[in-house]
Coordinates of all heavy atoms in Angstrom, one line a residue:
T14 N 3.1 -6.8 -16.3 CA 3.8 -5.6 -15.8 C 3.6 -4.6 -17.0 O 3.8 -4.9 -18.2 CB 5.3 -5.9 -15.7 OG1 5.4 -6.7 -14.8 CG2 5.9 -4.6 -15.4
L15 N 3.1 -3.5 -16.6 CA 3.0 -2.3 -17.6 C 4.4 -1.9 -18.1 O 5.4 -2.0 -17.3 CB 2.2 -1.1 -16.9 CG 0.7 -1.4 -16.6 CD1 0.2 -0.3 -15.8 CD2 -0.1 -1.7 -17.8
D16 N 4.5 -1.2 -19.2 CA 5.8 -0.8 -19.7 C 5.6 0.6 -20.3 O 4.5 1.1 -20.4 CB 6.5 -1.8 -20.7 CG 5.7 -2.0 -22.0 OD1 4.9 -1.1 -22.4 OD2 5.8 -3.2 -22.5
A17 N 6.7 1.1 -21.0 CA 6.5 2.5 -21.5 C 5.7 2.7 -22.7 O 5.2 3.7 -23.0 CB 8.0 2.8 -22.1
T18 N 5.2 1.5 -23.3 CA 4.3 1.7 -24.5 C 2.8 1.6 -24.0 O 2.0 1.9 -24.8 CB 4.5 0.6 -25.5 OG1 4.3 -0.7 -24.8 CG2 6.0 0.6 -26.0
D19 N 2.6 1.2 -22.8 CA 1.3 1.1 -22.2 C 0.8 2.5 -21.7 O 1.7 3.3 -21.2 CB 1.1 0.3 -21.1 CG 1.4 -1.3 -21.5 OD1 0.8 -1.7 -22.4 OD2 2.3 -1.8 -20.8
I20 N -0.5 2.9 -22.0 CA -1.0 4.1 -21.5 C -2.3 3.7 -20.6 O -2.7 4.2 -19.5 CB -1.4 5.1 -22.6 CG1 -0.1 5.5 -23.1 CG2 -2.0 6.4 -22.0 CD1 -0.2 6.2 -24.5
V21 N -3.3 3.0 -21.3 CA -4.5 2.6 -20.7 C -4.6 1.1 -20.7 O -4.4 0.5 -21.7 CB -5.7 3.2 -21.6 CG1 -7.1 2.7 -21.0 CG2 -5.6 4.7 -21.5
L22 N -5.0 0.6 -19.6 CA -5.3 -0.9 -19.5 C -6.7 -1.2 -19.1 O -7.2 -0.6 -18.0 CB -4.3 -1.5 -18.4 CG -4.6 -3.1 -18.2 CD1 -4.3 -3.8 -19.4 CD2 -3.7 -3.6 -16.9
L23 N -7.5 -1.7 -19.8 CA -8.9 -2.2 -19.5 C -8.8 -3.6 -19.1 O -8.5 -4.5 -19.8 CB -9.9 -2.1 -20.8 CG -10.0 -0.7 -21.5 CD1 -10.6 -0.8 -22.7 CD2 -10.4 0.3 -20.5
A24 N -9.1 -3.7 -17.7 CA -8.8 -5.1 -17.0 C -10.2 -5.7 -16.8 O -11.1 -5.3 -16.1 CB -8.1 -4.8 -15.8
N25 N -10.3 -7.0 -17.4 CA -11.5 -7.7 -17.2 C -11.2 -8.9 -16.3 O -10.5 -9.7 -16.7 CB -12.0 -8.3 -18.6 CG -13.3 -9.1 -18.5 OD1 -13.6 -9.7 -17.5 ND2 -14.0 -9.0 -19.6
A26 N -11.7 -8.9 -15.0 CA -11.4 -9.8 -14.1 C -12.6 -11.0 -13.9 O -12.7 -11.4 -12.9 CB -11.2 -9.2 -12.8
T27 N -13.4 -11.0 -15.0 CA -14.5 -12.0 -14.9 C -14.0 -13.3 -14.5 O -14.7 -14.0 -13.6 CB -15.2 -12.0 -16.2 OG1 -15.7 -10.7 -16.5 CG2 -16.4 -12.9 -16.2
S28 N -13.0 -13.9 -15.1 CA -12.4 -15.2 -14.7 C -11.8 -15.4 -13.4 O -11.9 -16.5 -12.9 CB -11.6 -15.7 -15.9 OG -12.4 -15.8 -17.2
S29 N -11.0 -14.4 -13.1 CA -10.2 -14.5 -11.9 C -9.5 -13.1 -11.6 O -9.5 -12.3 -12.4 CB -9.0 -15.5 -12.0 OG -8.1 -15.0 -13.0
A30 N -9.2 -12.9 -10.3 CA -8.6 -11.7 -9.9 C -7.2 -11.4 -10.9 O -6.6 -12.3 -11.3 CB -8.2 -11.7 -8.5
I31 N -7.0 -10.1 -11.0 CA -5.9 -9.7 -11.7 C -4.9 -8.8 -11.0 O -5.5 -8.0 -10.3 CB -6.3 -8.9 -12.9 CG1 -7.3 -9.7 -13.9 CG2 -5.1 -8.3 -13.7 CD1 -7.9 -8.9 -15.0
T32 N -3.7 -8.9 -11.1 CA -2.7 -8.1 -10.6 C -1.9 -7.4 -11.7 O -1.4 -8.1 -12.6 CB -1.7 -8.9 -9.7 OG1 -2.4 -9.4 -8.6 CG2 -0.6 -7.9 -9.0
V33 N -2.0 -6.1 -11.6 CA -1.2 -5.3 -12.7 C -0.1 -4.8 -11.9 O -0.1 -4.0 -11.1 CB -2.2 -4.1 -13.1 CG1 -1.4 -3.2 -14.1 CG2 -3.5 -4.6 -13.7
S34 N 1.2 -5.1 -12.5 CA 2.4 -4.7 -11.8 C 2.9 -3.5 -12.5 O 3.1 -3.4 -13.8 CB 3.4 -5.9 -12.0 OG 3.0 -7.1 -11.3
L35 N 3.3 -2.5 -11.7 CA 3.9 -1.3 -12.3 C 5.4 -1.4 -12.4 O 6.1 -2.1 -11.7 CB 3.6 -0.2 -11.4 CG 2.2 0.3 -10.9 CD1 2.0 1.2 -9.9 CD2 1.5 0.6 -12.4
P36 N 5.9 -0.8 -13.5 CA 7.5 -0.9 -13.6 C 8.1 0.0 -12.5 O 7.6 0.9 -11.8 CB 7.6 -0.2 -14.9 CG 6.4 0.6 -15.1 CD 5.3 0.0 -14.4
A37 N 9.4 -0.3 -12.4 CA 10.1 0.6 -11.4 C 10.0 2.1 -11.9 O 10.0 2.4 -13.1 CB 11.7 0.2 -11.5
T38 N 10.0 3.0 -11.0 CA 9.7 4.3 -11.2 C 11.1 5.1 -11.7 O 10.9 6.1 -12.3 CB 9.3 5.2 -10.0 OG1 10.2 5.0 -9.0 CG2 7.9 4.8 -9.6
S39 N 12.2 4.6 -11.5 CA 13.4 5.1 -11.9 C 13.4 5.5 -13.5 O 13.2 4.7 -14.2 CB 14.6 4.2 -11.5 OG 15.8 4.8 -12.0
G40 N 13.5 6.8 -13.7 CA 13.5 7.1 -15.2 C 12.2 7.2 -15.7 O 12.1 7.4 -17.0
T41 N 11.1 7.3 -15.0 CA 9.8 7.3 -15.4 C 9.1 8.6 -15.0 O 7.8 8.7 -15.1 CB 8.9 6.1 -15.0 OG1 8.9 6.2 -13.6 CG2 9.5 4.8 -15.4
N42 N 9.7 9.6 -14.6 CA 9.2 10.9 -14.1 C 8.0 11.4 -15.1 O 8.4 11.7 -16.2 CB 10.2 12.0 -14.0 CG 9.6 13.2 -13.1 OD1 8.8 13.0 -12.2 ND2 10.1 14.3 -13.5
G43 N 6.8 11.6 -14.6 CA 5.7 12.0 -15.5 C 4.9 10.9 -16.2 O 4.0 11.2 -16.8
R44 N 5.6 9.8 -16.2 CA 4.6 8.7 -16.9 C 3.4 8.5 -16.2 O 3.3 8.4 -15.1 CB 5.5 7.4 -16.8 CG 4.7 6.2 -17.7 CD 5.5 5.1 -17.8 NE 6.8 5.4 -18.6 CZ 7.8 4.5 -18.7 NH1 8.0 3.4 -17.9 NH2 8.9 4.8 -19.2
T45 N 2.4 8.4 -17.0 CA 1.0 8.3 -16.5 C 0.4 6.9 -17.0 O 0.5 6.6 -18.2 CB 0.2 9.4 -16.9 OG1 0.8 10.6 -16.5 CG2 -1.3 9.4 -16.4
Y46 N -0.5 6.2 -16.2 CA -1.2 5.1 -16.7 C -2.5 5.3 -16.1 O -2.8 5.9 -15.1 CB -0.5 3.7 -16.0 CG 0.8 3.3 -16.4 CD1 1.8 3.5 -15.4 CD2 1.0 3.0 -17.7 CE1 3.0 2.9 -16.0 CE2 2.4 2.6 -18.1 CZ 3.4 2.6 -17.3 OH 4.6 2.3 -17.6
V47 N -3.5 4.7 -16.8 CA -4.9 4.7 -16.5 C -5.3 3.2 -16.5 O -5.1 2.4 -17.5 CB -5.8 5.3 -17.4 CG1 -7.3 5.3 -17.0 CG2 -5.4 6.9 -17.5
V48 N -5.8 2.7 -15.3 CA -6.3 1.3 -15.2 C -7.7 1.4 -15.0 O -8.1 1.9 -13.9 CB -5.5 0.5 -14.2 CG1 -6.0 -0.9 -14.2 CG2 -4.0 0.5 -14.5
K49 N -8.6 0.7 -15.7 CA -10.1 0.5 -15.4 C -10.5 -0.9 -15.4 O -10.1 -1.7 -16.2 CB -10.7 1.3 -16.6 CG -12.3 1.3 -16.3 CD -12.9 2.1 -17.3 CE -14.4 2.2 -17.3 NZ -15.2 3.3 -17.9
K50 N -11.4 -1.2 -14.3 CA -12.1 -2.6 -14.2 C -13.2 -2.6 -15.1 O -14.1 -1.7 -14.9 CB -12.3 -2.8 -12.7 CG -12.9 -4.1 -12.5 CD -13.1 -4.4 -11.0 CE -13.5 -5.9 -10.6 NZ -14.7 -6.4 -11.3
T51 N -13.3 -3.4 -16.0 CA -14.4 -3.3 -17.0 C -15.6 -4.4 -16.8 O -16.6 -4.3 -17.4 CB -14.0 -3.7 -18.4 OG1 -13.4 -4.9 -18.5 CG2 -12.9 -2.5 -18.8
D52 N -15.4 -5.2 -15.7 CA -16.4 -6.3 -15.5 C -17.2 -6.0 -14.0 O -16.6 -5.3 -13.2 CB -15.8 -7.6 -15.5 CG -14.9 -7.8 -14.4 OD1 -13.8 -7.3 -14.4 OD2 -15.2 -8.3 -13.3
A53 N -18.2 -6.7 -13.9 CA -19.1 -6.6 -12.7 C -18.8 -7.6 -11.7 O -19.6 -7.8 -10.7 CB -20.4 -6.5 -13.1
S54 N -17.8 -8.6 -12.0 CA -17.6 -9.7 -11.1 C -17.0 -9.1 -9.7 O -16.7 -8.0 -9.5 CB -16.4 -10.7 -11.6 OG -15.2 -9.9 -11.5
S55 N -17.0 -10.1 -8.6 CA -16.5 -9.8 -7.3 C -14.9 -10.0 -7.4 O -14.4 -9.8 -6.2 CB -17.2 -10.7 -6.4 OG -16.9 -12.0 -6.7
N56 N -14.4 -10.3 -8.4 CA -12.8 -10.4 -8.4 C -12.3 -8.9 -8.5 O -12.7 -8.1 -9.1 CB -12.5 -11.2 -9.7 CG -12.9 -12.5 -9.7 OD1 -13.0 -13.2 -8.6 ND2 -13.2 -13.0 -10.8
F57 N -11.1 -8.9 -7.8 CA -10.5 -7.6 -7.8 C -9.4 -7.4 -8.8 O -8.9 -8.5 -9.2 CB -9.6 -7.4 -6.3 CG -10.5 -7.5 -5.2 CD1 -10.2 -8.3 -4.1 CD2 -11.6 -6.6 -5.0 CE1 -11.0 -8.3 -3.0 CE2 -12.4 -6.7 -3.9 CZ -12.1 -7.5 -2.9
V58 N -9.1 -6.1 -9.1 CA -7.9 -5.7 -10.0 C -7.0 -5.1 -9.1 O -7.3 -4.0 -8.5 CB -8.4 -4.9 -11.2 CG1 -7.1 -4.4 -11.9 CG2 -9.3 -5.8 -12.1
T59 N -5.9 -5.5 -8.8 CA -4.9 -5.1 -7.9 C -3.8 -4.4 -8.7 O -3.0 -5.1 -9.5 CB -4.3 -6.0 -6.9 OG1 -5.4 -6.7 -6.1 CG2 -3.3 -5.6 -5.9
I60 N -3.5 -3.2 -8.3 CA -2.3 -2.4 -9.0 C -1.2 -2.5 -8.0 O -1.4 -2.1 -6.9 CB -2.7 -1.1 -9.3 CG1 -3.7 -0.9 -10.4 CG2 -1.5 -0.3 -9.8 CD1 -5.1 -0.9 -9.9
D61 N -0.1 -3.0 -8.3 CA 0.9 -3.4 -7.4 C 2.2 -2.4 -7.8 O 2.7 -2.7 -8.9 CB 1.3 -4.9 -7.5 CG 2.3 -5.3 -6.3 OD1 2.6 -4.5 -5.5 OD2 2.8 -6.5 -6.6
G62 N 2.6 -1.8 -6.8 CA 3.9 -1.0 -7.0 C 5.1 -1.8 -7.1 O 5.1 -3.0 -6.7
N63 N 6.2 -1.4 -7.8 CA 7.5 -2.2 -7.9 C 8.1 -2.2 -6.6 O 8.5 -1.2 -6.1 CB 8.3 -1.6 -9.0 CG 9.4 -2.5 -9.3 OD1 10.4 -2.5 -8.6 ND2 9.4 -3.3 -10.4
G64 N 8.4 -3.4 -6.0 CA 9.3 -3.6 -4.9 C 8.5 -2.8 -3.7 O 7.3 -3.0 -3.2
T65 N 9.2 -1.9 -3.2 CA 8.7 -1.0 -1.9 C 8.2 0.2 -2.5 O 7.7 1.3 -1.6 CB 9.7 -0.7 -0.9 OG1 10.8 -0.1 -1.5 CG2 10.2 -2.0 -0.3
E66 N 8.1 0.6 -3.8 CA 7.4 1.8 -4.2 C 6.0 1.8 -4.0 O 5.3 0.7 -4.0 CB 7.8 1.8 -5.8 CG 9.1 2.0 -6.2 CD 9.6 1.9 -7.6 OE1 8.6 1.8 -8.5 OE2 10.7 2.1 -8.0
T67 N 5.4 2.9 -3.7 CA 4.1 3.0 -3.3 C 3.2 3.8 -4.3 O 3.6 4.5 -5.2 CB 3.9 3.7 -1.9 OG1 4.6 5.1 -2.0 CG2 4.8 3.0 -0.8
I68 N 2.0 3.7 -4.1 CA 0.8 4.4 -4.8 C 0.1 5.3 -3.8 O -0.6 4.6 -2.9 CB -0.1 3.5 -5.5 CG1 0.6 2.4 -6.4 CG2 -1.3 4.1 -6.2 CD1 -0.2 1.2 -6.8
D69 N 0.5 6.4 -3.7 CA -0.3 7.3 -2.6 C 0.2 6.8 -1.1 O -0.7 6.7 -0.4 CB -1.7 7.6 -2.8 CG -2.0 8.8 -3.7 OD1 -0.9 9.5 -4.2 OD2 -3.1 9.1 -3.8
G70 N 1.4 6.3 -1.0 CA 1.7 5.8 0.3 C 1.4 4.3 0.5 O 1.8 3.7 1.6
D71 N 0.7 3.6 -0.4 CA 0.4 2.2 -0.1 C 1.0 1.4 -1.2 O 1.4 1.8 -2.3 CB -1.2 2.0 -0.4 CG -2.0 2.8 0.7 OD1 -1.7 2.6 2.0 OD2 -3.0 3.3 0.5
L72 N 1.3 0.1 -0.8 CA 2.0 -0.8 -1.8 C 1.3 -1.3 -2.9 O 1.7 -1.6 -4.0 CB 2.6 -1.9 -1.1 CG 3.8 -1.8 0.1 CD1 4.0 -3.0 0.7 CD2 4.9 -1.2 -0.7
T73 N -0.2 -1.3 -2.7 CA -1.0 -1.7 -3.7 C -2.3 -0.8 -3.7 O -2.5 0.0 -2.7 CB -1.6 -3.1 -3.6 OG1 -2.3 -3.3 -2.4 CG2 -0.4 -4.1 -3.6
H74 N -3.0 -0.8 -4.7 CA -4.4 -0.2 -4.9 C -5.5 -1.1 -5.5 O -5.0 -1.8 -6.6 CB -4.2 1.1 -5.7 CG -5.5 1.9 -5.7 ND1 -5.8 2.8 -4.7 CD2 -6.5 1.9 -6.7 CE1 -7.1 3.2 -5.0 NE2 -7.6 2.8 -6.2
I75 N -6.5 -1.3 -5.0 CA -7.4 -2.4 -5.4 C -8.7 -1.6 -6.1 O -9.3 -0.7 -5.6 CB -8.0 -3.2 -4.3 CG1 -6.8 -4.1 -3.7 CG2 -9.1 -4.2 -4.8 CD1 -7.1 -4.8 -2.6
L76 N -9.0 -2.1 -7.2 CA -10.3 -1.7 -8.1 C -11.3 -2.8 -7.8 O -11.0 -4.1 -8.0 CB -10.0 -1.5 -9.5 CG -9.0 -0.5 -9.8 CD1 -8.8 -0.5 -11.4 CD2 -9.1 0.9 -9.3
S77 N -12.3 -2.5 -7.2 CA -13.3 -3.5 -6.7 C -14.7 -3.6 -7.6 O -15.3 -4.5 -7.7 CB -13.8 -3.3 -5.3 OG -12.7 -3.1 -4.5
F78 N -15.0 -2.5 -8.3 CA -16.3 -2.3 -8.9 C -16.1 -2.1 -10.4 O -15.2 -1.5 -10.8 CB -17.1 -1.2 -8.2 CG -17.3 -1.4 -6.8 CD1 -16.4 -0.5 -6.0 CD2 -18.1 -2.3 -6.1 CE1 -16.5 -0.7 -4.5 CE2 -18.3 -2.4 -4.7 CZ -17.3 -1.6 -3.9
K79 N -17.2 -2.4 -11.0 CA -17.4 -2.2 -12.5 C -17.1 -0.7 -12.8 O -17.7 0.2 -12.1 CB -18.6 -2.8 -13.0 CG -18.8 -2.6 -14.6 CD -20.1 -3.1 -15.1 CE -20.3 -3.1 -16.6 NZ -19.8 -2.1 -17.3
D80 N -16.4 -0.4 -13.7 CA -16.1 0.9 -14.3 C -15.3 1.8 -13.3 O -15.1 3.0 -13.6 CB -17.3 1.6 -14.7 CG -17.9 1.0 -15.7 OD1 -17.4 0.3 -16.7 OD2 -19.3 1.0 -16.0
E81 N -14.9 1.2 -12.3 CA -13.9 1.9 -11.2 C -12.6 2.1 -12.0 O -12.1 1.1 -12.6 CB -13.8 1.1 -9.9 CG -12.8 1.9 -9.0 CD -12.8 1.1 -7.6 OE1 -13.3 0.1 -7.6 OE2 -12.4 1.7 -6.7
S82 N -11.8 3.2 -11.9 CA -10.6 3.3 -12.5 C -9.7 4.2 -11.8 O -10.1 4.8 -10.7 CB -10.7 4.1 -13.8 OG -11.2 5.4 -13.6
I83 N -8.3 4.1 -12.1 CA -7.4 4.8 -11.4 C -6.4 5.5 -12.4 O -6.0 4.9 -13.4 CB -6.5 4.0 -10.4 CG1 -5.5 4.9 -9.6 CG2 -5.9 3.0 -11.1 CD1 -4.7 4.0 -8.5
T84 N -6.0 6.7 -12.2 CA -5.0 7.4 -13.1 C -3.9 7.6 -12.1 O -4.0 8.3 -11.1 CB -5.5 8.7 -13.7 OG1 -6.7 8.3 -14.4 CG2 -4.4 9.4 -14.6
I85 N -2.6 7.2 -12.4 CA -1.4 7.3 -11.6 C -0.4 7.9 -12.4 O -0.2 7.8 -13.7 CB -1.0 6.0 -11.0 CG1 -0.9 5.0 -12.0 CG2 -1.9 5.6 -9.9 CD1 -0.2 3.7 -11.6
V86 N 0.4 8.7 -11.7 CA 1.7 9.4 -12.4 C 2.9 9.1 -11.5 O 2.8 9.1 -10.2 CB 1.3 10.8 -12.6 CG1 1.2 11.6 -11.3 CG2 2.5 11.4 -13.6
S87 N 4.0 8.9 -12.1 CA 5.3 8.7 -11.4 C 6.0 10.0 -11.1 O 6.1 11.0 -12.0 CB 6.2 7.8 -12.2 OG 7.5 7.9 -11.7
D88 N 6.7 10.1 -10.0 CA 7.6 11.2 -9.7 C 9.0 10.7 -9.6 O 9.9 11.5 -9.1 CB 7.1 11.9 -8.4 CG 7.6 11.1 -7.2 OD1 7.9 9.9 -7.3 OD2 7.5 11.6 -6.1
N89 N 9.4 9.6 -10.3 CA 10.6 9.1 -10.3 C 11.1 8.2 -9.1 O 12.1 7.7 -9.0 CB 11.8 10.0 -10.6 CG 12.6 9.8 -11.9 OD1 12.1 8.9 -12.6 ND2 13.6 10.5 -12.2
S90 N 10.1 8.3 -8.0 CA 10.4 7.5 -6.8 C 9.1 6.7 -6.5 O 9.3 5.6 -5.8 CB 10.6 8.5 -5.7 OG 11.8 9.1 -5.9
N91 N 8.0 7.2 -6.7 CA 6.7 6.6 -6.3 C 5.6 6.9 -7.2 O 5.8 7.7 -8.1 CB 6.3 6.9 -4.9 CG 7.3 6.3 -3.9 OD1 7.2 5.1 -3.5 ND2 8.0 7.1 -3.1
W92 N 4.5 6.4 -7.0 CA 3.3 6.6 -8.0 C 2.3 7.4 -7.2 O 2.1 7.2 -5.8 CB 2.6 5.4 -8.4 CG 3.6 4.6 -9.3 CD1 4.5 3.5 -8.9 CD2 3.8 4.7 -10.7 NE1 5.2 3.1 -10.0 CE2 4.8 3.8 -11.1 CE3 3.3 5.6 -11.6 CZ2 5.2 3.7 -12.4 CZ3 3.8 5.4 -13.0 CH2 4.7 4.5 -13.4
Y93 N 1.6 8.5 -7.8 CA 0.6 9.2 -7.1 C -0.8 9.1 -8.0 O -0.8 9.2 -9.1 CB 1.1 10.6 -7.1 CG 2.2 10.7 -6.1 CD1 3.4 10.6 -6.5 CD2 1.9 10.9 -4.7 CE1 4.6 10.7 -5.6 CE2 3.0 11.0 -3.8 CZ 4.3 10.9 -4.2 OH 5.3 10.8 -3.5
I94 N -1.9 9.0 -7.2 CA -3.2 9.0 -7.9 C -3.5 10.5 -8.1 O -3.4 11.4 -7.3 CB -4.2 8.5 -6.9 CG1 -3.9 7.0 -6.6 CG2 -5.6 8.5 -7.5 CD1 -4.7 6.3 -5.5
I95 N -4.0 10.6 -9.3 CA -4.4 12.0 -9.8 C -5.8 12.0 -10.3 O -6.4 10.9 -10.5 CB -3.4 12.6 -11.0 CG1 -3.3 11.8 -12.2 CG2 -2.0 12.8 -10.4 CD1 -2.7 12.4 -13.2

């Protein structure tokens, strides 16, 4: 689970798929995270919103390809891709 000290996560899914859990958005207005998949394996990096919180309307967002990344920001209720 990402926390307030995290900003960038370089995710290497060579050995297995990875799930990155986002913290609850309450009290996080404006918090921004960048997650990047650094390997060329077929394993996914899944970014998972907390509970029913969404990422641009979806419960999860998947990174499938080497060097694919996502930058997300909280509005205190959900996460948005920027």
Side-chain angles (χ1 to χ4, degrees):
T14 300
L15 296 174
D16 63 31
T18 63
D19 295 310
I20 299 169
V21 175
L22 175 66
L23 301 176
N25 185 328
T27 300
S28 298
S29 65
I31 296 172
T32 298
V33 177
S34 299
L35 297 172
T38 56
S39 178
T41 63
N42 192 38
R44 183 172 300 159
T45 302
Y46 294 116
V47 177
V48 180
K49 179 174 183 165
K50 183 178 187 309
T51 61
D52 66 278
S54 74
S55 60
N56 297 322
F57 298 127
V58 174
T59 302
I60 297 93
D61 187 14
N63 185 283
T65 60
E66 295 173 355
T67 62
I68 304 164
D69 269 5
D71 296 319
L72 293 174
T73 62
H74 183 85
I75 295 175
L76 303 178
S77 305
F78 304 105
K79 182 179 186 322
D80 297 327
E81 185 176 6
S82 66
I83 181 175
T84 301
I85 54 175
V86 64
S87 167
D88 75 345
N89 239 11
S90 297
N91 290 290
W92 297 94
Y93 292 90
I94 300 171
I95 56 171

